[in-house]
Amino acid sequence: MLHIFCPHCGEQRSEEEFHAKGQAHIARPLDPDACTDEEWGEYMFFRDNPRGLHHELWVHSAGCRKYFNVTRHTVTYEILETYKIGERPGVSEKKAVEQGVPA
Amino acid sequence: MTAVNVYQQRPNGAARAESPLYHAGLDELAGKGSPQAGVRLREKKLLGHLVLRGNAKDPAFAAGVHRALGLELPVALTLVARGETSLQWLGPDEWLLIVPSGEEFAAEQRLREALVGQHISVVNVSGGQTLLELSGPKAREVLMKSTPYDVHPLNFPVGKAVGSTFAKTQLVIRHVSEDTWELLVRRSFADYVWLWLQDASAEFGLAIQA
């Protein structure tokens, strides 16, 4: 059982209170009508599946019921940080390697 | 005033109001449990529940709420109360106001008046949920069996309120005084929680209070 820090509640909570909601930071095209089918399909259906760091959207469904972002390592399942929607991740691939997280 | 249609939702006299645990017949069970029971349960039924949403960072919002209710906006995971009225943090832009039965209509109007022109929402959810009061020396043990959240007083002091998983459902746990806890239960889960609480408190003895 993991403990996940909810940035809205401001404390560590049990994993079972949360749900993962897939990849984070997916920008909706500003003008969907001007998109080609390929561009719209990319936005709609195609997601990264990295081996390593992944920025994800999670929801604290049993607590404050708000969404937030999580930077998680997909091999070790280690959660490196959580941050609110609208903020930028503090941990990137390069930084993590420098800090000794296995790639 | 906005164009929102605010109306009296509580039936007056002619229609019978049934709380979510009406079918359990708690009134008939009241007083029949052992006086030494470790856990006491009471449904605080048919109170007025209002969900208030707005921008917590806006001083005008906080001031308006204070003007309407006489209560400060609570910060994360806390609850403020004055008499029978309580205001609880549910999320960064969401609060739950609980007022005595029948006062929710006036409270909603006061809030709307004080917050006129702001981007807010007030919704009467009185019919959608109920409050169960769990008290007694073993009440905390029942909570420990039911939720993954740490309910030790060091982590969960009086005045704290958290949403968490509870048995196989979800509810809000409020710590109102040393041995007294309140569970905010959704209407459709009330029966399940009632059955769960009976089972979980069987080993300590359960007494129902009116």
Side-chain angles (χ1 to χ4, degrees):
Chain A
M1 182 60 70
L2 295 172
H3 281 91
I4 300 172
F5 184 84
C6 170
H8 301 292
C9 292
E11 60 179 26
Q12 303 273 351
R13 292 297 192 87
S14 174
E15 180 187 354
E16 66 189 275
E17 293 183 10
F18 297 87
H19 282 298
K21 292 285 184 176
Q23 188 183 339
H25 303 297
I26 298 171
R28 181 183 166 90
L30 289 174
D31 186 2
D33 290 337
C35 283
T36 61
D37 283 355
E38 196 185 340
E39 282 167 350
W40 187 249
E42 280 283 336
Y43 160 72
M44 208 64 184
F45 303 112
F46 287 82
R47 297 292 179 259
D48 295 342
N49 184 20
R51 180 188 160 86
L53 285 192
H54 193 208
H55 301 294
E56 299 172 330
L57 199 58
W58 285 61
V59 61
H60 192 186
S61 50
C64 59
R65 315 204 307 281
K66 288 284 178 280
Y67 285 82
F68 60 95
N69 294 319
V70 166
T71 305
R72 186 176 66 90
H73 198 286
T74 58
V75 179
T76 62
Y77 215 103
E78 184 185 357
I79 290 177
L80 295 142
E81 62 168 345
T82 60
Y83 53 101
K84 291 178 187 169
I85 300 290
E87 294 175 0
R88 301 302 306 169
V91 182
S92 63
E93 197 78 55
K94 190 163 159 275
K95 262 194 198 164
V97 171
E98 282 164 8
Q99 284 164 11
V101 176
Chain B
M1 211 61 188
T2 57
V4 176
N5 187 12
V6 184
Y7 59 97
Q8 177 61 272
Q9 295 181 36
R10 187 174 291 273
N12 52 353
R16 187 182 61 199
E18 294 185 358
S19 82
L21 283 180
Y22 175 80
H23 65 283
L26 297 182
D27 288 343
E28 285 146 42
L29 295 170
K32 290 188 184 156
S34 151
Q36 276 88 47
V39 183
R40 296 186 295 275
L41 178 71
R42 184 159 72 98
E43 185 190 9
K44 300 175 104 174
K45 59 188 174 190
L46 304 175
L47 300 178
H49 297 233
L50 296 170
V51 167
L52 168 68
R53 302 194 67 175
N55 181 3
K57 294 191 183 93
D58 181 0
F61 176 70
V65 171
H66 185 260
R67 199 159 60 242
L69 308 173
L71 293 169
E72 296 289 341
L73 270 186
V75 295
L77 306 182
T78 61
L79 151 88
V80 291
R82 203 192 50 187
E84 294 295 297
T85 300
S86 65
L87 186 63
Q88 183 201 333
W89 183 93
L90 286 181
D93 59 356
E94 190 174 8
W95 295 265
L96 174 71
L97 173 69
I98 298 186
V99 295
S101 296
E103 290 181 19
E104 67 275 8
F105 184 52
E108 180 173 356
Q109 283 178 318
R110 275 205 310 279
L111 274 170
R112 289 194 181 281
E113 224 163 89
L115 300 171
V116 69
Q118 296 188 32
H119 184 60
I120 56 126
S121 140
V122 185
V123 181
N124 185 340
V125 295
S126 308
Q129 52 198 29
T130 191
L131 210 55
L132 298 178
E133 183 189 84
L134 210 57
S135 56
K138 297 289 185 187
R140 191 163 68 86
E141 307 244 351
V142 171
L143 294 179
M144 284 160 66
K145 287 169 77 171
S146 311
T147 173
Y149 194 76
D150 181 5
V151 292
H152 191 278
L154 286 178
N155 185 58
F156 204 150
V158 172
K160 195 169 184 179
V162 301
S164 186
T165 45
F166 190 91
K168 289 184 184 174
T169 179
Q170 177 264 329
L171 47 68
V172 174
I173 308 169
R174 299 149 53 103
H175 196 181
V176 289
S177 69
E178 193 179 339
D179 264 352
T180 309
W181 309 72
E182 286 174 347
L183 308 177
L184 183 73
V185 185
R186 284 174 199 279
R187 186 171 198 108
S188 52
F189 288 99
D191 185 56
Y192 171 75
V193 172
W194 158 236
L195 294 174
W196 171 272
L197 287 175
Q198 286 177 82
D199 189 45
S201 50
E203 61 175 303
F204 310 115
L206 176 67
I208 309 298
Q209 293 179 312

